[in-house]
Amino acid sequence: MQEKVKSVLKGIIHPETQQNIVENGVVEQVTAREDKITVVLCFPKSRDPFAVRIKSLVEQMLKEQFPQAAENITVVIKEGTPRPPQPKRESTTVKVGKIIAVASGKGGVGKSTVTANLALTLRNMGFRVGVLDADIYGPSQHKMFDREGYLPDAVQENGQDYIVPAQSMDIELMSIGFFINPDDALMWRGAMATSALKQLLHQTMWGGLDFLLIDMPPGTGDIHLTMISEIKLDGAIIVSTPQQIAVADVVRGVEMFRHEQVNVPVLGVVENMAWFTPKELPDNKYYIFGRGGARAYAEQAGVPFLGDIPIIQSIMDGGECGKPSVATDPDVEHYYREIAQKIIAAL
Ligand code: ADP
């Protein structure tokens, strides 16, 4: 009904600006139901020479077009600066090929490490890749990609504001970590983090990406809800350690994405820190945290098993030194490549 009223009001042209009164912001507010319409008109001065004339034109047109509300049409004049309505902005994610959420049931299982190394693996396979760190509880991608202290620039294009991502090793990176002090992390929970993330999601000036990997916070919470409702995720992968795999958090994560109203395909489960092989005993595998749990869980839950990654010193070191292990250790990439290939096939 509101839109119907506005489209009628678009028929009134302001004699001075020659724009219709919706477009030039004179119509500030419309509330409407079938039998009652209220319109607030805004003029720079309440004694504006055009105010009375436009008000009576509005009343007359609404009475003609909406006779069922004729007795209840109120048009109010307000003094203020008319603000033309902003055109609805298009999210910058619409230009991204595939958007994948990397999630986990709990923190500390290696979700961020998998995200960073997977991003580099996809880059090595020839894709253009971006990473968005949405883990408000412990953003770490800016450290992993050695971009601590990066201050994103804001630029304007066609009257819209955009945020410029950081670049590292050919990966485009945007992180909630660029905007928060690690000591303030707690206060970013909730509404503030959600609105900041929405901005990062829709206004980051990605440069033609094939893949955007989103490092999600652990668990299932407000941020997941925001992501799911704000953008179309093409898939989700769940990272777990063997001892965490069957716990309720992982199951809840899978169910959240698979929920009929959410409907994000779960591309599969990655088992991280699956075993340890000491350098001096290269043929031995020690399943420190248990064995085969992820495979069994994946089968039982009906989701693909994407692969397992052992405990490797260079993977841990990579997180500390600002260069994910795939960029430095030739023995590591094949673990992530197997996972990447399965993801590509699934998409
Ligand atoms: P999350 O994002 O799930 O909180 P992180 O990616 O920060 O977890 O990883 C937690 C810790 O485990 C980090 O110190 C990281 O370097 C280390 N880590 C993750 N995966 C491995 C691995 N496969 N081998 C060795 N260390 C790992």
Side-chain angles (χ1 to χ4, degrees):
M1 183 69 185
Q2 239 136 281
E3 288 311 309
K4 273 195 211 160
V5 171
K6 278 190 191 162
S7 75
V8 167
L9 296 180
K10 279 183 187 165
I12 303 177
I13 306 296
H14 194 291
E16 197 175 42
T17 63
Q18 288 299 314
Q19 283 174 304
N20 75 59
I21 59 170
V22 174
E23 204 175 83
N24 71 3
V26 162
V27 174
E28 186 179 278
Q29 203 186 334
V30 173
T31 37
R33 2 178 263 242
E34 290 302 318
D35 60 346
K36 190 171 190 242
I37 300 173
T38 306
V39 176
V40 178
L41 301 177
C42 178
F43 292 92
K45 286 187 233 123
S46 58
R47 288 174 183 277
D48 189 287
F50 299 109
V52 175
R53 167 111 190 86
I54 289 177
K55 178 177 184 248
S56 70
L57 261 178
V58 168
E59 284 166 343
Q60 189 190 331
M61 269 181 109
L62 293 180
K63 274 187 190 149
E64 279 168 18
Q65 297 293 324
F66 303 100
Q68 71 284 16
E71 299 302 310
N72 281 312
I73 290 176
T74 315
V75 181
V76 187
I77 292 179
K78 188 190 130 181
E79 196 173 291
T81 310
R83 289 185 204 290
Q86 291 293 317
K88 214 167 184 277
R89 75 155 51 238
E90 190 181 55
S91 171
T92 52
T93 53
V94 298
K95 294 196 196 122
V96 173
K98 298 285 178 198
I99 306 176
I100 300 169
V102 185
S104 69
K106 281 211 159 35
V109 298
K111 166 182 55 63
S112 304
T113 311
V114 168
T115 308
N117 282 296
L118 204 53
L120 276 173
T121 303
L122 287 164
R123 179 211 68 174
N124 289 349
M125 292 166 89
F127 296 105
R128 289 164 303 171
V129 186
V131 172
L132 174 68
D133 195 345
D135 187 353
I136 55 163
Y137 303 110
S140 55
Q141 296 297 342
H142 56 309
K143 288 188 204 132
M144 299 221 199
F145 283 100
D146 194 21
R147 284 295 173 270
E148 273 182 277
Y150 174 79
L151 273 179
D153 264 340
V155 289
Q156 269 215 338
E157 221 178 80
N158 302 327
Q160 304 276 13
D161 294 318
Y162 294 97
I163 315 165
V164 182
Q167 298 269 349
S168 176
M169 293 176 263
D170 271 345
I171 304 280
E172 296 189 13
L173 173 66
M174 184 48 78
S175 167
I176 191 80
F178 294 143
F179 300 89
I180 58 174
N181 178 337
D183 304 330
D184 295 343
L186 288 188
M187 120 195 173
W188 276 77
R189 293 181 191 201
M192 209 167 154
T194 307
S195 75
L197 261 182
K198 274 191 203 169
Q199 249 185 321
L200 298 194
L201 260 185
H202 298 311
Q203 288 174 238
T204 298
M205 201 177 223
W206 305 110
L209 300 180
D210 298 309
F211 289 99
L212 176 63
L213 304 185
I214 303 183
D215 188 353
M216 303 287 276
T220 50
D222 285 357
I223 298 296
H224 299 77
L225 210 67
T226 303
M227 291 290 170
I228 287 161
S229 53
E230 290 287 317
I231 55 170
K232 191 188 158 298
L233 294 170
D234 294 290
I237 64 176
I238 314 283
V239 180
S240 179
T241 52
Q243 81 274 34
Q244 289 289 345
I245 187 69
V247 301
D249 295 305
V250 172
V251 180
R252 262 201 291 271
V254 170
E255 291 314 318
M256 169 184 66
F257 289 115
R258 290 209 296 203
H259 191 279
E260 59 186 31
Q261 276 162 2
V262 174
N263 223 352
V264 172
V266 176
L267 304 174
V269 178
V270 172
E271 190 167 63
N272 191 34
M273 309 198 210
W275 72 87
F276 178 67
T277 297
K279 271 220 160 65
E280 55 285 7
L281 293 168
D283 297 327
N284 289 21
K285 282 182 172 178
Y286 296 95
Y287 295 89
I288 298 169
F289 299 131
R291 186 173 184 183
R295 238 176 250 271
Y297 167 74
E299 209 163 280
Q300 171 207 329
V303 293
F305 176 72
L306 293 174
D308 35 22
I309 303 161
I311 299 171
I312 298 180
Q313 179 78 38
S314 74
I315 295 183
M316 203 196 82
D317 294 342
E320 300 296 314
C321 76
K323 258 203 178 155
S325 171
V326 162
T328 55
D329 183 346
D331 294 334
V332 161
E333 187 176 324
H334 69 98
Y335 294 111
Y336 295 98
R337 205 172 260 249
E338 185 189 327
I339 295 166
Q341 274 157 348
K342 286 193 186 149
I343 290 172
I344 293 163
L347 289 170

